[in-house]
Amino acid sequence: MRDRRDLPKDFSWGVSTAAYQVEGAVGEDGRGPSIWDEFVARPGAVRDGHTGEFACDHYHRYAEDVALMRGLGLDGYRFSIAWPRIQPAGSGPANPAGLDFYERLVDALLAVGITPLPTLFHWDLPQALEDGGGWLARDTAYRFAEYAEIVAERLGDRVPAWITFNEPFVHMVYGYALGIHAPGRTLMLDALPVAHHQLLGHGLAAAVLRERGAQVMIANNLSPVWPASQEPADVAAAAAYDALHNRLFTDPLLLGRYPDLSAYGVAPDLGGCVRPGDLELIAGPGLDGLGVNYYNPTRIAAPTEPGGLPFAEAAIEGVPRTAFGWPVVPDGLRELLVGLRDRYGDALPPITITENGCSVADEPGPGGTVLDQPRIDYLAGHLDALAAAVAEGVDVRGYFTWSLLDNFEWAEGYEQRFGLVHVDFTTQRRTPKASYAWYRDLIGAHRVRHAR
Ligand code: GBH
């Protein structure tokens, strides 16, 4: 295998989105408030006071968006289901109109041969559950399993595989430790129960989904961690960070135990929230697939001041940066995938890249076109790195780029554009960018190559 042109025949191509980032229609058809509706209303929480109230209006324009996906020739579409559309107050009976929307979407996808890959939780917790403690409360995990059952009951006959959680690390750290995302709490290390309760929710929901014959995945944001130098203090800080960022969310699923967080002063029971039997539930019979969201590596140095966290983030120098300022390191994806295989061995299930992409400041091109060459370079580089990992024996089954559309980029509002398709947020007009044509041609060439 030389590069992205040699990926295996059955490799799946997709795009990803998430409910609050694209749907809009926040007050329609009985949807209840989520923590993001509350968070965006706080002055200063989101750049320029942007909100997801209208977003890409995907709730009403899903048919046009499915047509755009069909134009790409996709195998799969990863989207998320808004829990507050299904259970407006986070518990109790289902809201049929909410289920109807996802049924329309799933049927529209299947009608054009695109496999739906729904994520059950992409950060939009019903506000009523947050009022009861959110993911700090163990009860939320049980509510999550009930919600999963309601959705699987309606859509399970058409959905072969589910993703339970999107990036539980980011939700814990940005949402509960640093307050950058909803629910805007600043608990620092006291946010750790949020990790355990999401993982417990995964385990409980996975059992419900498996009973119905479905496959179960999770999408973790993983990052290779680079020590800033070979000094023992930097190497130790990097190991501590790796335990918190990567292994906290993958070891319990694949190995049935939490990593050692003693560098953070954390006991093995994560401050008392881990009960007997929880780890067995979380690991269950194993994942059917591991979703990996990869954006960039992380460089870590020893802390500069004593008493705080046992690491300091250090800049990665000498590489290009995205419009967001994130470093572009395609080989980090190969390093990450090979590292997962080396660490977990036979316990590692097949991998799907469930997100990878970058924000680009689009350039207007001739005749109303939108040029985004840096995105094409980013995707090409990462797909070559993925192919290199496959050539080294890592079992990677698919690649879903983030994102189909420019959308509500959380605390950055509409400023950062990640789409293959440009969205004018005033008119809701969609314009496929140069990267859309590039991705379509890449997928098309893959099919032609394997047609014989
Ligand atoms: C994902 O989060 C989300 O799942 C998705 O909703 C979101 O829109 C998308 O990615 C794009 O942001 O160390 O400064 O170089 C990504 C989480 C957290 C990944 C910050 C990159 C480090 C940037 N990200 N991170 S930096």
Side-chain angles (χ1 to χ4, degrees), residues 415-437:
E415 178 75 13
Q416 302 296 335
R417 292 179 176 270
F418 279 84
L420 300 176
V421 176
H422 179 270
V423 177
D424 177 325
F425 291 103
T426 309
T427 62
Q428 289 297 344
R429 196 183 135 100
R430 275 92 163 118
T431 307
K433 304 178 190 179
S435 59
Y436 176 98

Side-chain angles (χ1 to χ4, degrees), residues 118-355:
T119 300
L120 288 166
F121 184 74
H122 199 126
W123 306 348
D124 47 357
L125 191 76
Q127 180 62 38
L129 292 181
E130 179 59 27
D131 297 341
W135 289 109
L136 293 163
R138 185 176 171 95
D139 183 63
T140 301
Y142 294 92
R143 301 286 80 76
F144 178 74
E146 285 170 10
Y147 151 64
E149 182 165 14
I150 291 171
V151 178
E153 204 44 55
R154 174 73 86 91
L155 299 175
D157 58 340
R158 284 155 284 177
V159 169
W162 302 84
I163 293 174
T164 53
F165 283 79
N166 178 70
E167 301 190 349
F169 171 84
V170 173
H171 191 54
M172 172 180 84
V173 172
Y174 283 35
Y176 288 81
L178 304 178
I180 300 166
H181 284 180
R185 302 208 194 192
T186 49
L187 298 170
M188 301 308 287
L189 280 179
D190 291 338
L192 273 171
V194 172
H196 183 63
H197 295 145
Q198 289 181 95
L199 288 164
L200 182 63
H202 162 87
L204 293 165
V208 165
L209 297 167
R210 277 193 201 104
E211 256 169 47
R212 289 172 168 69
Q215 299 212 324
V216 181
M217 301 169 62
I218 192 167
N220 279 349
N221 62 298
L222 301 177
S223 178
V225 179
W226 297 349
S229 78
Q230 286 313 310
E231 291 298 318
D234 287 344
V235 172
Y241 187 83
D242 181 47
L244 185 72
H245 185 134
N246 296 314
R247 290 163 47 208
L248 178 60
F249 295 88
T250 310
D251 283 10
L253 292 163
L254 301 184
L255 305 178
R257 55 175 152 82
Y258 279 115
D260 176 8
L261 295 180
S262 55
Y264 295 87
V266 175
D269 66 355
L270 302 185
C273 65
V274 182
R275 297 193 188 166
D278 284 2
L279 281 159
E280 288 74 8
L281 257 170
I282 290 169
L287 291 169
D288 298 297
L290 177 65
V292 172
N293 295 358
Y294 172 77
Y295 288 91
N296 52 255
T298 310
R299 190 160 168 255
I300 294 293
T304 41
E305 285 154 34
L309 292 170
F311 67 88
E313 282 201 43
I316 295 176
E317 312 281 3
V319 300
R321 294 190 174 267
T322 73
F324 213 142
W326 299 352
V328 178
V329 186
D331 192 60
L333 179 57
R334 186 199 56 80
E335 182 186 332
L336 174 68
L337 294 170
V338 170
L340 284 169
R341 196 262 324 270
D342 291 349
R343 173 167 178 75
Y344 295 107
D346 290 344
L348 184 69
I351 290 172
T352 296
I353 305 303
T354 36
E355 287 184 28

